[in-house]
Amino acid sequence: MINFVLRRLGQSAILLAIMSLLVFVGMYVISDPVAVMAGEDATEADRAALAAAYGLDRPLPLQYLAFLGNILRGDFGTSFVYGRPVLDLIFERLPATLEVVFLAMVLGLVFGIPMGIFSGLNRKNPLTRLISMVTTIGYSIPNFWQALLFILIFAVWLRWLPATGRGPTTEVLGIQLSLLNAEGLRYMLLPAANLAVALICMQTRLARSGTQEVMYQDYMMFAQAKGIAPRRLIGRHLLRNILIPIVTITALELGTLIAFSTVTETVFSWPGIGKLLLDSIYRSDRPVVVAYMILITLMFVLINLIADIIYAVLDPRIRYS
Amino acid sequence: MSAIKLSAEPSRLDPLLAPFRHYPAAIAGLVGIVIFALAALFAPLIAPQNPFDQNQLDIMNGLLSPMSEMMDGRVSLLGTDAVGRDILSAVLYGMRTSLLVALLAVGIGLVIGVVLGLLAVMRGGWVDAIIMRAVDLTVSFPGVLLALMLLAVFGSGVDKVILALAIGIWAQNARMVRAVGLSEMKKDYIAAARIGGIGDLRIMFHFLLPNAISPVLVLMPMAISGAIVAEATLSFLGVGVPITEPSLGLLISNGNDYLLSGRWWISVVPGLVLVLMVLCINVVADRLRDHANPYLQVRG
Amino acid sequence: MLLHIDTLSIGYELANGRELEAIKDFSLALDRGQIVGIVGQSGAGKSTIGKAILGLLGENARITKGSILLEGQDIAAFSPRQFATIRGKRIGYIYQNPMTALNPVLSIGEQLIETIEAHTPRRGKQARDYAIELLTGAEVSHPEDRLSKYPHQLSGGLCQRIVFAIAIAAQPDLIIADEPTTALDVTVQKAVLGTLKRLASQENIAIILITHDMGVVSQMCDEVYVLLRGQLVEHGPTAQIIGAPSERYTRELMAAIPSVEEKRPRFDVLDAFAETPGRQRGLDYLRSGIAAQDQGGAVLAVRDLSKTFKGKKGRAGDFKALDGVSFEVRRGETFGIVGESGSGKSTIGRVILGLVDPDPGAIIELDGRPIGHGDRRTLSRRLQCIFQDPYSSLNPRMDAGTNITYGVVAAGLVPRETAQALAGDLLEVVGLPRAVAAKMPHAFSGGERQRIGIARALAYRPELIFCDEPTSALDVTVQAEILNLMKELQDSLGLTLVFVSHDLAVVRQMCDRLIVMKSGAIVEAGDAEQVLTEPAEPYTRQLLSAMPRFLRSAAAAS
Amino acid sequence: AGAANAETLRLAYGTAPVSADPYPYSDTQTGSLSEHVFEMLVGLDDAPLLAKDWAWESDKAIVFNLRDGVNFSNGAPFTARDVVYSMCRMMYRVDGKANVVTSALGPVTNVVAVDDHKARFETTAPYPIITQKLKFLKILSAEAAGIEGDIAFDQDGDCGISASYPSQADFDAGSAAIGTGPYIYESFQATGDANLVRNENYWGEKPEWDRVEIRSVPNNGARIAGLLAGDYDIIERPSAEDLQVIERDPNFAYSTVPGLQTIFLVLDTNAEGAAGVTAADGSAPLADVRVRQALSMAIDRKAITERLFAGNATPANQFAPSYMPGAPEMPELITDLDQAKALLAEAGYADGFEIELNVPADRYTNGQLVAQAITQYWTRLGVKVTLRTEPWSVFQTRRTEGQMGVFMYGWGHPQGAAQLISGAFAQRNDDLGLGAANFSSYDNPDFEAAMQAWAVEVDPARSEELIAKAMAQSVADLPGIPLYYNHELWAHRAGIEISGGAEGRTVATMAHSR
Ligand SMILES: Nc1ncnc2c1ncn2[C@@H]1O[C@H](COP(=O)(O)OP(=O)(O)OP(=O)(O)O)[C@@H](O)[C@H]1O
Ligand SMILES: Nc1ncnc2c1ncn2[C@@H]1O[C@H](COP(=O)(O)OP(=O)(O)OP(=O)(O)O)[C@@H](O)[C@H]1O
Ligand SMILES: [Mg+2]
Ligand SMILES: [Mg+2]
């Protein structure tokens, strides 16, 4: 197992190199930071000075090597736009993203799995039809629409929840969190719900289709024959066997939401990192984008590694050597 | 025993339609899909206006509510958008792009993802490692960045959108199939197949695939609606269709700005079409999946 | 009256919309402390009755008629919620397919302890202790270690004993034991049956015993019900049914029981299978296989075969399932492997078939040449296997027919166009109607599944078949037909069989030579006749003496 | 209005301010934020602010008389030394990066604190628009930065003190964000959220609000929803569409002022041809003034402003808002499709030609709609238009690389009527600050002469004449096509009155409770 983990981390080192190179070149072909940063009335000299100041006048390979050298020294660079160390920028916003994604994930699992299992078990129940209908509509309504609808209903009409922003936070170990703060939590609910809708739909449907296969296996029959409580039958025997696809999608979505939930962050003005990435791409802020992508890749590698380990825990037949 | 056959000759469609017999909802879904497909296909014949022809558009016709008269005296059934496009026509035309893009992107993403996922399970070792690291790389890569890169290198076009979307989709499918396949791989029927001298490819496609694809199919309708919406984002970035030839997704996202002010038709109409379309696809996909599920092969 | 089944009829709706009437007008009465046996043809509906009593019939099953009264309450009309109150607590169920009955992702301990905690006041350590007690009672060695194991790490017999332990955990009023000892060696079987008997007599528990083993029936049951194609043929006190059966089917059944006392060239059969043109075609197909050329020497040679399963906790957790096993199998013979459940018989098969890598140093030769990894594909037409658990070896998403012929078509042995016909023919060869080719594996009875597995192996017309308990779920008539067929193929084509079985009578009839295994090692090897008549080792003697005897003479006398 | 208000004013910006440091960033919102805290010598409305008055001492030196009795929020008095210090800071390029007007103040050779309340700016050559540029010099406190003694200006901004300039982080943390303005920084976050409190010792009229909370809500729908939900008191730039909601709801109101921004199209008039513009015969259609006139004439500006902006934009008739001080009187630009077609035919393009119209997707209010409207008009004219929209950064890069023959652009600075034409149409002349953004290849000797004269004309009246001349010439020649002038909009709750400036900044001082 330890070998397996070590080998995986080794592989990801190569991955990070590839990713940073891709992004480096990608940002280069997309737009020219000097063109974006220089003011309207910048002179040629201004532009040249700007390029020189950021090392953008050097050939791209040299820029990349310099960047790599800095990374190895732990220096991820300074934002072109904000003039601040990129790691500061990212970590400043990370908690906001993490907590809202965490809440969404929990909502997705807590609502999705039971609803899915219910519909899997009660195929002919009218409630099942309703769930199926609602989840389909839930995921076919575009995310931004949903967001706006939520705002309209819960903030504008009912005035239950604030429409935008992050609200007050509580500091825990130097990290600002809304989660632990009743007022802060109110601000979190809408964005989290917006992220959660798709998750709930996915989890519901995965759980449902899994249930419809596992429920008919001999071992489920026997487990029923044993007369154990339904809660255990479902919570343990059934759940364990339908969890692999759910874990897979949870892992993928976890990463995706942390990294790229830009629509939600934009509509709700939630100060998360997804928006930082988008802004940085648009503003040609290469250091931020590259550092961000390195971190995100690392995160995905870790999340998927954990998912792989969970597979082996869930299904003892799976073993990694 | 004495099942009465109404049609004398069993038609060739019979086996295709078999899963739907006795399932009115699924039949409705199927009919819906056919209607949408026909509508998209024959949009130029049905649509009162060619919304891509700039000569037929006039901003003076903009923002008309449903059933109002346009300057040329014709009535716009579902209203117009800000630049004077007849929403009904725009939706019909937009559906063509969206369906093409979404189905192709999801199809390509599905095929590539499933094949690579199965290959990873089958071969394991370094093949698995390379494929899965490619997955890690792909899922980490932001779609916007990818799209802009494609734009910068290859220029704009629907094919680039399909490519960009398919890249987003394959990785998820590959991981899903692999995860489920890992478990299936350890079961005795695979061992039996191996002993039976059945080649890796056949094991992959006839043994692993049917037993591991279910979650991928579950997520497919979601992927389709996701792709339709994502296409709009990419078009906004300049990668996809020009804004003068809006797709369904683009219509919805453009219409978004008019939701609050009460000009709901601009985004609600295309939005409803999207929802209905996905609903139909979903009902049909669900039925097909249930039909393929050996444990559910009874009328329910 | 504890249980009273009254003119019960059960139908299965099939995918093609038709209905299969699995049980017709079945009645049964049972009192506390009583043991009744249900015997009958494979696929006759025995398990269906068992499942009906527990409300576990699948969604496509329908009770069309009749009632099932448990102490006067009609459980046939129970809601799922009501069923929950009787399952496990009042009725214990020993599932027919032990290897699929256990949840593959939960440990044995968990599956056992949860049952204990559900029905007894024992919790925590107490529950665990009781679990160990139950396992010990079910003759499971190292019960503590087993608790942390998962089903795939256990042998078929161990799974069966665990299922047994689970079923009796709550000391219910009624135990339905569906083929509870098919995977057990006779010594363990004896102990397990002893436990059942004790439960009946001491705890006043009623038992429905579904079995094919007439020896077991004669030793255990007070009354016997004989079932044929869903219908009750006759029933009555054991001695009467066994000794003086009045119906033709029952008589045939009795006649077909193989004897451990003497070896005959063929099993006695009474045309259990209808002779149809399809069956004939199937037989012709099998008989027209390529006769094996005797090149002298052993077809299969195994030397120094050891297998260690790696445990989780480093070396301490390692388990040596095979320890220096060597043997040779000659062409055209039937080579028996008997022995304790869990002694490594199936593992030998898995290693030979390349499903499990042996420890380094082992040599496995086919026709004098070591088998390499690369040869597996070409080996398929020479080396086949009938799995101990037929069900999990069938692709759940292929119908039975395709399951049978997929491989031979893929290997190019049979043209695709004839595959469907061949599947039907082979189904008839193993005694199933050809129409069931379209059914999916899960909709078959235990014995039917086993026969599909046999048909699949035979379809290759291989030179050697590793048969892992090939007929454990078959009634004696069907068993006789199939084993005779194998013998015939052996005579005409030189088919070689490696035959794993707990049924010593069958072993006696089938095997030329055999090895006796215990704890992963061979304890005795030699001529089958000799080993079975004059065993040299105490373990072998013990096996023979534990064998439940169905004494034709004794039965006849009474 | 005017009474001190014990209330909090909550503002929602459409774009996040980048920093509390007013120097490196020229965007509107960073400017809005810092306007609460910092003040300039010259107000955005050209009125005196921290300077009481100013006068050209010679044609190369201008003297500013500073206001007395002004203190920074830390209590330090405001003196000419602070002006010198601020100029030094403005000229200093941190990491080589120019500040808001570093380049524009390039001609300034020296800044001298004549006495505590008099500062003299010396320039290489006559530099009349210096007062325009000084609208962007936010005055910092030298004392707050810990600078001792006299400061000697130099053009690099080193001034012997560069090491002690506070960093951006110091500004964001608030320690360096000390100004003379009506409000005081409390906190700033990199996400663009800022909190301010009233400067009790403000020299001018007492600031009305106790507290100002600024939030950034880039999404239009969310911003208006936030207002409706009661999260904000004032939001900037509601969409014209959303004003309908405001109009219907008595609890809310909106306010609008004609803005500074002119939206126009740039046409590359190069005789060699323009990128993305192709004619069947390989000629360069845009080089022909008749073609340009036809293109302009085909556009119905009124329809655009009425239909797409609901009247919240003014049809343009020149390259600077006609209502801006200093803008010349110009006739309306007519719409006449027939005449346009005739002109096109006359130029030899009766069968049309092809244009790729480039528009930034995410930059200008309703930009995409306007672009589609223009596409309609030009298509009707017989020109085949391919509309290309892309994100600003990509657009900007391609534009800089000269890959666009026709593109939409917006220009609006409170720097006078000649800003746009001098930058976009004049020949490049870095010394005079002309033509820095010339993508039109426009080259007309009369226009050129007027611009060059204007660049050094210190007499306001003369200057206005030159602007009128240049403007008339450029409108006649159409190296670009003026479209409309944007209006600035704010929506707010009904309890507030707003008097916003044309530059579109959203500041607490413009809001008064009713
Ligand atoms: N789910 C099902 N769907 C359709 N047919 C079924 C289903 N389950 C069982 N059958 C059929 O019902 C009949 C009775 O099955 P059952 O399992 O009761 O037989 P059995 O007597 O237990 O046989 P065996 O001794 O082989 O286990 C068989 O022919 C079987 O094919
Ligand atoms: N994958 C595995 N991991 C760990 N232990 C295993 C594994 N497979 C088998 N074993 C152990 O190896 C031993 C031999 O198993 P095997 O299945 O060969 O027994 P068997 O002789 O076929 O028994 P039975 O007659 O009960 O089927 C058993 O004790 C079993 O628990
Ligand atoms: Mg059975
Ligand atoms: Mg075994």
Side-chain angles (χ1 to χ4, degrees), chain C residues 146 149 152-158 161 183 309 319 321 340-348 388 468-469 502:
Chain C
R146 306 288 187 193
K149 290 270 194 289
H152 75 281
Q153 297 171 317
L154 299 181
S155 74
L158 279 167
R161 279 172 277 170
F309 288 106
F319 179 78
E340 204 184 24
S341 163
S343 58
K345 304 182 294 296
S346 302
T347 307
I348 291 180
Q388 183 173 13
D468 200 346
E469 309 265 11
H502 290 302

Side-chain angles (χ1 to χ4, degrees), chain A residues 152-185:
Chain A
L152 268 183
I153 296 174
F154 295 103
V156 177
W157 292 341
L158 300 174
R159 293 213 172 209
W160 287 349
L161 298 168
T164 55
R166 190 176 178 203
T169 54
T170 317
E171 190 172 309
V172 183
L173 303 171
I175 300 167
Q176 301 291 338
L177 292 179
S178 306
L179 208 51
L180 305 170
N181 180 312
E183 181 62 16
L185 202 59

Side-chain angles (χ1 to χ4, degrees), chain C residues 39 181 186 189-190 193 197 209 211-222 224 238 242 253-254 256-260 476 503 505 546-552 555:
Chain C
V39 300
T181 58
V186 283
Q189 170 173 338
K190 189 174 173 186
L193 292 176
K197 193 135 201 168
L209 185 62
T211 182
H212 295 303
D213 192 327
M214 287 304 159
V216 171
V217 172
S218 67
Q219 278 179 14
M220 297 284 294
C221 302
D222 305 321
V224 185
T238 310
I242 290 182
L253 203 58
M254 297 306 150
I257 299 169
S259 157
V260 75
V476 284
D503 189 335
M547 167 113 194
R549 308 258 149 165
F550 169 68
L551 294 174
R552 221 173 283 272

Side-chain angles (χ1 to χ4, degrees), chain A residues 39-237:
Chain A
E40 208 41 73
D41 40 13
T43 61
E44 272 319 311
D46 284 339
R47 289 174 195 276
L50 201 63
Y54 288 103
L56 295 168
D57 52 344
R58 285 173 297 168
L60 196 66
L62 282 187
Q63 291 184 37
Y64 182 66
L65 286 181
F67 162 78
L68 276 191
N70 286 340
I71 290 265
L72 293 179
R73 269 180 272 120
D75 174 12
F76 277 73
T78 306
S79 159
F80 290 165
V81 173
Y82 295 96
R84 299 179 49 201
V86 293
L87 287 188
D88 285 9
L89 284 172
I90 294 172
F91 286 119
E92 212 169 59
R93 293 175 178 231
L94 195 58
T97 295
L98 287 183
E99 62 176 352
V100 77
V101 169
F102 169 77
L103 187 59
M105 279 284 150
V106 170
L107 289 176
L109 292 170
V110 163
F111 285 101
I113 294 181
M115 267 164 41
I117 293 180
F118 176 87
S119 1
L121 291 178
N122 307 282
R123 280 203 302 139
K124 295 165 192 169
N125 194 306
L127 197 58
T128 298
R129 298 246 159 89
L130 186 73
I131 290 176
S132 172
M133 184 84 139
V134 169
T135 51
T136 310
I137 294 175
Y139 69 67
S140 46
I141 293 185
N143 194 301
F144 49 83
W145 243 43
Q146 258 169 36
L148 219 56
L149 224 60
F150 278 177
I151 291 183
L152 268 183
I153 296 174
F154 295 103
V156 177
W157 292 341
L158 300 174
R159 293 213 172 209
W160 287 349
L161 298 168
T164 55
R166 190 176 178 203
T169 54
T170 317
E171 190 172 309
V172 183
L173 303 171
I175 300 167
Q176 301 291 338
L177 292 179
S178 306
L179 208 51
L180 305 170
N181 180 312
E183 181 62 16
L185 202 59
R186 270 168 33 88
Y187 278 84
M188 265 176 84
L189 279 179
L190 286 185
N194 184 224
L195 294 178
V197 168
L199 289 172
I200 294 175
C201 298
M202 276 190 222
Q203 309 286 27
T204 304
R205 307 205 133 246
L206 284 177
R208 167 171 166 261
S209 97
T211 304
Q212 286 184 351
E213 281 179 31
V214 171
M215 215 41 215
Y216 299 95
Q217 301 295 327
D218 281 350
Y219 56 79
M220 290 307 292
M221 298 274 179
F222 183 58
Q224 276 172 278
K226 294 190 323 190
I228 49 171
R231 175 191 302 228
R232 203 171 159 84
L233 182 77
I234 287 160
R236 206 70 201 147
H237 288 256

